[in-house]
Every structure is written in C-alpha cells, then in structure tokens.
Amino acid sequence: MGFPPGGRSARKHAAILEAATQVFLAKGYLGTSMEEIATMAGVSKQTVYKHFADKETLFAEIVLATTDQVDQFIAMVADLPVAPGTSRADAEEALHDLARRFLSTIMQPRIMQLRRLIIANADRFPELGRTWYEQGFERVLATLGATFQRLTEQGHLAVSDPMMAANHFAGLLLWIPVNRVMFCGDDQPSSQAELDRYADIAASTFLAAYGAKSPARRGSPATASPHAV
Amino acid sequence: MGFPPGGRSARKHAAILEAATQVFLAKGYLGTSMEEIATMAGVSKQTVYKHFADKETLFAEIVLATTDQVDQFIAMVADLPVAPGTSRADAEEALHDLARRFLSTIMQPRIMQLRRLIIANADRFPELGRTWYEQGFERVLATLGATFQRLTEQGHLAVSDPMMAANHFAGLLLWIPVNRVMFCGDDQPSSQAELDRYADIAASTFLAAYGAKSPARRGSPATASPHAV
C-alpha cells in the first residue's frame, strides 16, 4: 500500500488487518462489523474506511494475505530430502515424515478457521474463493506433484500423472481429519499421536498405490504400479 | 411432529421447512430472517414461530432432516452387486461403478450447498455439526467399510481396517471435486465426463492400494497388499 513502512499510518494499517483477521475468523463475514474491527484495532471507524473502502475489500485483503501460510506449505513439499542415491527406505521415510508435518501444519486452528471462512463465503465471493483455490490450494499440489515427478525419475515412485498423485496424497491424508474439524468445530482437536498415526497410514497407502515396487522390507520382486502404464 | 398428516397445520409445517431450507441454503444462517421464511412459505411470521420456537430450532431441524440424502448414500454403498463367485473383473467394475455414482450424487448442487451451510456454522452450532457428522458422514463410511470387509472375505480386496479403507476411498474420490466446489462456488460445475474420469482414476488407485492382488488384466502373480499384514 502507499504507506511508508514503520510510519504511523502503516502501523494503523497493520493493526486494522490483524484486528479484521481476528474478528472475521471468529464471527464470519456477516457477523463482523467495521465498527468492531475499529474498536479492536484501537482506531476510529473513519480511519478504517480511510484504509479500506468497504468491508468486502478488507475481507478480500485478509484472505489473500494468507499466502505466507501457503509459502510455508510450498517450502515443505518442495524440500523433500531425497537426493539421487537415497535408499528406498530413506525415501519412504521422507514421505512418511512429510505426511506427518503436512497434516500437523494444516490442522492448526487458525488455518482451519480460515478454511471455514473462505468456504462459508464462496457463494458470496466466488472470485475470491477461486483465487485462493488457484493460488493457494492448487499451487501447493502442483509443487507436491513436481516432487513426486522427481521421486519417479529417481525410481522411488511410479507416477504418470504427478498432479493426480498429489491430489490423491492430499485426499488420503486430509479427507477425514480436515472434515472432522470442518463439521464438528475446533473444540475437540485430535491428539498429535492420532494425527501421526493417520499420516503414517496415509503414506503407506500412497506408497502401496504409487510406489515403484513393493517395499523392500517385504522382499517382493519389483512390480510396476498400474499408474506407470 | 404433533400435526395430523395431510391436515392444514401439517401442510404449513412442511411449507415452512421447504422455504427455510431454500432460504438457509441460499443466504446462510445469519443472512436468513424468520420473516423471509414466512413470506416464502406463504404464512405469517406468527405461524412460523408457532411451529418453530426460534431460528436456531428451525435450522437444526432442516439440517437433520437431510437423512433422506444420507439414506440414499447408505443404500448405494451397501448394495454393491458382488456375490460369492463374482469374478475379479466384475468386482472391480462394480467398484468403479460405485465410485462414479457416489461422486455424481454427492456433487449435486443442493448437497454441496448443505455441506457448505453446515461447515459455515460448525463453530456456532458444534453440537449440530457433530450430530450430522456422526449420523450422516460417518454412517455412510461405516457402511462402505462393511462392504469392503465383505469384498475382502470374498478375496477381492485385502483390507485389514475397513473404516480406514472407506476413509481412503472417500478421500481419493472426493478431495479435489468437493474442495473445488467448496472454495470456488457452484457456478462452474465439472462435466459428467470429468467426474467419471476422476472417479475411475480414484477407483484404480484404491484397487492398486487395497486390491488383494494385481489386476488380472496385468497377468501378475497374486501379491498381498501391505495393508493385509
């Protein structure tokens, strides 16, 4: 925005954004008033309108400002520590570890609340929801797909459609834990042990479907996945 | 309820429920007024309050009334036409067919809108969301799990944790199409061909992970799934 960083106006701008995020996440779009945001930010309602033309503009700004969180996921799925020469067992362990970290990160209450907020308002602001879906959700999956492509080239996976494999990895990992929070609210979170167990089973299932061959520990002969053909 | 079926009061009751469903689905909980429901139902606001103590009561009633839709899913996943002696190819075709029907049914706009409505209000009414999750969502998955158990006993699948396998089937099938509608709204639905393609790939991936052995058409020897151990 046009405010010098560190200046009084920039500080107010940041305070309004932070207050708006808190109020929107807690009360939803319709349940939030500009007055309440002003009170929480410690500024006048007039000041809020000086920085943001209307409630819709402010809402769009806080939703799209969550790219920080998206970048965190991008870095996580891009940086799988599997170099050429990594053993099958280590590559599989890296995938299990990724599943655990991905699930723990996405289950943070603030991320789940943001998710609910966007979904709740998708019919009201379809353009905003679509932007978030494409620049957040799909960008993470595309990066994960590139990682699976790399693992396929290294012989650890047998993936012919990397984006589809990324979709499936996410679906196996997230469908149940995310839906439980979406439907039941945030007041009964799963324990870390439950999440880790869920992540491990998802990773094993993904490897059973997309692994280049049966896991070495089973001593089976190499078997191409149906997805490689 | 306590109204004689077919009577005037019962007709009004039904008209209020139908109007409430339409208005809640279109405008959300906070965006809906009892006055608007009364107008759409063609009754007075006083009549609405005679039938339903308050907006929250009416909302809970319409959400929980969706068990008809749930029963439709239960019947679908319970009735897989796989009898003892069914060939592997026919059993796999039945699973592909189930995936296609399940996806097409769940993607109906009214079901997607109801889903968004429940998620949007899960923090406001966690008890209601939890009831719907347990009696709707989880009941369908438990029935699907029982079907997978039966297919395992018949030698077509190698499933050791039926509920987890059902979760995974749903996650592979639904994560992307459902999320796309949740985030982007209902105005750009996937074509039937896209949905069928997505369902077929999900079913193939599920079979690659949970099939009792490699598909017959590949001519591979029987290989137990890692999930069977």
Side-chain angles (χ1 to χ4, degrees), chain A residues 4-229:
Chain A
R8 196 153 156 266
S9 197
R11 281 200 306 275
K12 282 189 183 176
H13 193 86
I16 294 167
L17 279 179
E18 176 56 31
T21 304
Q22 285 187 36
V23 182
F24 278 128
L25 285 177
K27 304 202 164 180
Y29 182 78
L30 288 182
T32 294
S33 71
M34 292 293 254
E35 187 141 9
E36 196 168 358
I37 292 170
T39 304
M40 181 169 282
V43 302
S44 70
K45 205 166 134 183
Q46 203 179 2
T47 301
V48 174
Y49 280 109
K50 206 176 86 186
H51 286 260
F52 300 97
D54 51 30
K55 192 166 87 164
E56 181 173 341
T57 306
L58 182 48
F59 182 72
E61 176 124 354
I62 70 128
V63 167
L64 297 178
T66 56
T67 44
D68 282 1
Q69 294 175 350
V70 173
D71 289 346
Q72 180 186 7
F73 281 102
I74 299 267
M76 186 189 296
V77 302
D79 273 356
L80 209 65
V82 180
T86 300
S87 73
R88 171 64 49 84
D90 285 350
E92 292 187 354
E93 181 51 36
L95 258 184
H96 276 262
D97 183 57
L98 172 64
R100 278 181 236 122
R101 285 182 293 133
F102 197 96
L103 185 57
S104 297
T105 306
I106 210 170
M107 296 302 286
Q108 292 172 74
R110 192 150 165 158
I111 293 184
M112 286 293 100
Q113 285 161 5
L114 173 71
R115 188 184 154 85
R116 179 178 295 119
L117 185 67
I118 300 172
I119 289 175
N121 293 285
D123 270 345
R124 186 170 291 114
F125 307 123
E127 195 57 48
L128 178 64
R130 193 170 303 121
T131 302
W132 197 91
Y133 184 81
E134 287 168 3
Q135 297 188 3
F137 195 97
E138 286 195 323
R139 204 154 55 93
V140 173
L141 291 177
T143 308
L144 183 59
T147 293
F148 289 159
Q149 175 73 37
R150 178 160 62 85
L151 292 179
T152 298
E153 285 157 13
Q154 292 174 4
H156 296 305
L157 295 180
V159 166
S160 61
D161 182 341
M163 191 66 180
M164 186 63 76
N167 291 351
H168 283 170
F169 184 85
L172 290 167
L173 183 63
L174 305 176
W175 179 252
I176 294 303
V178 168
N179 274 309
R180 187 179 293 137
V181 173
M182 285 298 107
F183 283 109
C184 304
D186 310 309
D187 58 339
Q188 294 188 325
S190 302
S191 71
Q192 189 60 49
E194 283 172 318
L195 291 180
D196 285 350
R197 174 179 167 272
Y198 206 85
D200 279 335
I201 298 174
S204 294
T205 302
F206 180 82
L207 286 165
Y210 283 105
K213 52 184 180 181
S214 300
R217 66 180 180 282
R218 295 185 49 79
S220 306
T223 312
S225 154
H227 296 277
V229 296

Side-chain angles (χ1 to χ4, degrees), chain A residues 133 175, chain B residues 69 72-73 76 99-116 170 173-192 194-196 198-199:
Chain A
Y133 184 81
W175 179 252
Chain B
Q69 293 174 352
Q72 179 186 9
F73 281 102
M76 186 189 295
R100 278 182 236 120
R101 285 181 294 134
F102 196 98
L103 186 57
S104 296
T105 306
I106 210 170
M107 296 302 286
Q108 291 172 76
R110 192 147 163 161
I111 293 184
M112 287 292 100
Q113 285 160 3
L114 173 71
R115 188 177 205 280
R116 180 178 294 118
L173 183 64
L174 305 176
W175 180 252
I176 294 302
V178 168
N179 273 310
R180 187 179 293 135
V181 172
M182 286 298 107
F183 283 110
C184 305
D186 310 308
D187 57 340
Q188 293 187 324
S190 303
S191 70
Q192 189 61 48
E194 284 172 317
L195 292 180
D196 285 349
Y198 205 85

Side-chain angles (χ1 to χ4, degrees), chain B residues 5 11 18 41 53 70 72 74 94 98 100 117 138 146 158 161 165 185 192 206 208 226:
Chain B
R11 282 200 305 276
E18 176 55 31
V70 173
Q72 179 186 9
I74 299 267
L98 171 65
R100 278 182 236 120
L117 185 67
E138 286 194 323
D161 182 341
Q192 189 61 48
F206 180 81

Side-chain angles (χ1 to χ4, degrees), chain B residues 59-93:
Chain B
F59 182 70
E61 175 123 354
I62 70 128
V63 166
L64 297 179
T66 56
T67 44
D68 283 0
Q69 293 174 352
V70 173
D71 290 345
Q72 179 186 9
F73 281 102
I74 299 267
M76 186 189 295
V77 302
D79 274 355
L80 210 64
V82 180
T86 300
S87 73
R88 171 64 49 83
D90 285 350
E92 293 187 354
E93 181 50 37

Side-chain angles (χ1 to χ4, degrees), chain B residues 3 7-20 23 33-52 58:
Chain B
F3 306 105
R8 194 150 160 269
S9 197
R11 282 200 305 276
K12 282 188 182 175
H13 194 86
I16 294 167
L17 279 179
E18 176 55 31
V23 182
S33 70
M34 291 294 254
E35 187 141 11
E36 195 168 359
I37 292 170
T39 304
M40 181 169 281
V43 302
S44 71
K45 204 166 136 184
Q46 205 180 359
T47 300
V48 174
Y49 279 109
K50 207 177 84 187
H51 286 260
F52 301 97
L58 181 49

